[in-house]
Amino acid sequence: MRILIVEDSAVLRDSLAQGLREAGYAVDAVADGKRGLIYAQTTDYDVIVLDWMLPEMDGLTVLAKIREKRIPAAILMLTAKDTLDDKVRGLTTGADDYLVKPFAFKELLARVQALTRRRHGERSPVVRIGPLTIDTSAKTAHVARGHGAAVALDLSPREYGLLAYLAAHAGKPVPRAELEEHLYDDRSQVFSNAIDSAVAALRGKLDAAGCPAIIHTRRKVGYVLKEGTP
């Protein structure tokens, strides 16, 4: 899943980016509202973490322009403004959630996870597809082996992100370009076969855990996660 941080404090911006990357997200981070709007218009983000007080263009204006353009990303506003009227302004302008500074990173991460689920229509953090269970809060995946036994999958952050994104669109073919956009940030060097290689590695780990084939190739399109025949 891919996140955009728009925050003018370098210390906070860098710490949030590092924490979210360690949690398995692809993260882009910019320091002003104008660049934030450009990024939001040119990349399909799952969540945008948007500060209210920004140089060049304030966060509320950025938020309004994002919603005017019907950009579907979920938006978490960060602000020192904690009055009821300020919260109402942010939410009625189109924010999905609101976090008052200072805050604990753990709370921001929980809110980002909840917004990501909402963005993809998931009501529960636990997704089950055949014998595969994915916990999007704990960022873990298990394969049931019968008699109550389950095998935990040892996935890299990139492999987990790929599995979680396919699971969020279970039953629907996901183009390679879309997977690439949501799994790699602007710091990543992406090779032409990166998605195919990541899928091959993920399939190998699922197979080793005893999971039947559930990631199917759609020629000239991409991949679909579904139980049963392709």
Side-chain angles (χ1 to χ4, degrees), residues 155-189:
L155 303 177
S156 70
R158 184 69 40 77
E159 289 164 351
Y160 172 81
L162 172 61
L163 182 62
Y165 196 82
L166 288 171
H169 300 80
K172 300 177 182 177
V174 183
R176 287 176 176 82
E178 182 177 336
L179 289 168
E180 204 172 275
E181 186 170 35
H182 283 264
L183 294 175
Y184 297 91
D185 56 38
D186 59 4
R187 307 189 321 164
S188 303
Q189 184 177 8

Side-chain angles (χ1 to χ4, degrees), residues 98-219:
Y98 194 103
L99 193 55
V100 177
K101 298 177 180 178
F103 54 83
F105 176 76
K106 192 173 182 179
E107 181 179 4
L108 179 134
L109 179 59
R111 290 173 183 257
V112 166
Q113 289 171 336
L115 288 173
T116 301
R117 290 197 299 271
R118 189 188 310 172
R119 164 87 162 81
H120 295 289
E122 298 172 0
R123 295 186 178 183
S124 168
V126 178
V127 180
R128 292 185 176 87
I129 300 165
L132 175 67
T133 298
I134 304 167
D135 187 329
T136 59
S137 289
K139 294 190 177 296
T140 58
H142 295 79
V143 175
R145 294 286 292 270
H147 306 293
V151 177
L153 294 175
D154 182 16
L155 303 177
S156 70
R158 184 69 40 77
E159 289 164 351
Y160 172 81
L162 172 61
L163 182 62
Y165 196 82
L166 288 171
H169 300 80
K172 300 177 182 177
V174 183
R176 287 176 176 82
E178 182 177 336
L179 289 168
E180 204 172 275
E181 186 170 35
H182 283 264
L183 294 175
Y184 297 91
D185 56 38
D186 59 4
R187 307 189 321 164
S188 303
Q189 184 177 8
V190 185
F191 297 100
S192 59
N193 66 339
I195 293 298
D196 294 333
S197 296
V199 168
L202 181 56
R203 279 172 167 164
K205 291 185 177 181
L206 287 165
D207 182 64
C211 185
I214 57 172
I215 300 178
H216 307 288
T217 303
R218 289 288 187 266
R219 281 192 73 228

Side-chain angles (χ1 to χ4, degrees), residues 3-6 16 20 47-51 76 78 108 112:
I3 311 294
L4 172 64
I5 300 170
V6 190
L16 291 179
L20 288 167
V47 177
I48 298 174
V49 179
L50 178 64
D51 189 28
L76 172 61
L78 302 182
L108 179 134
V112 166

